[in-house]
Amino acid sequence: HKSRENLTKKYRHYAACKNFFLIQLSNSRINHAAKMLLESEDKIIDIAGQCGYDNVGYFIKRFRQCKGITPSDYRKGNREKVNIV
């Protein structure tokens, strides 16, 4: 039983580390996309692809989860702020 508990503990640690890495990677990709939205005129579908998202619908869903707003609204709202400064 001891080795079973030890294996379970190691697996949970591994799974937590893997989850943490995937979350960090996803956040990094979304942050890069947000920067591209403000600094380029590229289409959202092209930015999604450049950031590793093959499915633009999934990219929009992930962007909204991370930023609380769609990529197009993010671009519109933040461009206005950038242009004022």
Side-chain angles (χ1 to χ4, degrees), residues 13-54:
H13 176 73
Y14 169 77
C17 289
K18 184 179 175 188
N19 254 358
F20 177 77
F21 172 76
L22 292 175
I23 290 167
Q24 292 300 321
L25 177 62
S26 179
N27 289 342
S28 177
R29 290 163 62 189
I30 293 296
N31 287 333
H32 183 65
K35 184 177 180 198
M36 291 178 71
L37 286 166
L38 299 181
E39 295 178 353
S40 77
E41 295 295 325
D42 292 352
K43 294 179 181 178
I44 291 173
I45 192 169
D46 295 331
I47 291 174
Q50 291 172 35
C51 293
Y53 291 91
D54 296 330

